[in-house]
Amino acid sequence: MENRVEFFRKKNGETQEELANILGVSRQTILSIEKGKYNPSIILAFKIATHFKSSIEEIFIYKEGSKEDMK
């Protein structure tokens, strides 16, 4: 799954640390999400979307047929 968390975070002028504090997670979690190494829970995805005043679909892009689907 791809995401636009880094794009929205930078658009808001926030650091990874600031976003992490707002969402109640670690900076490493934000880094892992931005790098595509970690897919957030649905609850965290909703928190991220709400914070950026966007829909989950605008931030997280699911592409069917990816290697993740094969696991």
Side-chain angles (χ1 to χ4, degrees), residues 6-61:
E6 183 176 9
F7 168 81
F8 280 95
R9 176 179 61 78
K10 288 181 175 179
K11 184 178 172 186
N12 270 12
E14 297 168 338
T15 65
Q16 289 176 339
E17 187 73 34
E18 289 168 335
L19 180 58
N21 289 335
I22 290 165
L23 298 173
V25 298
S26 70
R27 185 193 62 77
Q28 289 80 10
T29 297
I30 299 301
L31 175 64
S32 294
I33 292 170
E34 288 183 356
K35 298 298 179 193
K37 296 182 182 207
Y38 173 73
N39 291 326
S41 68
I42 191 70
I43 293 170
L44 182 53
F46 269 106
K47 286 181 178 181
I48 292 167
T50 299
H51 173 71
F52 292 133
K53 297 178 178 71
S54 298
S55 68
I56 289 177
E57 293 85 359
E58 287 178 284
I59 299 171
F60 297 96
I61 301 100

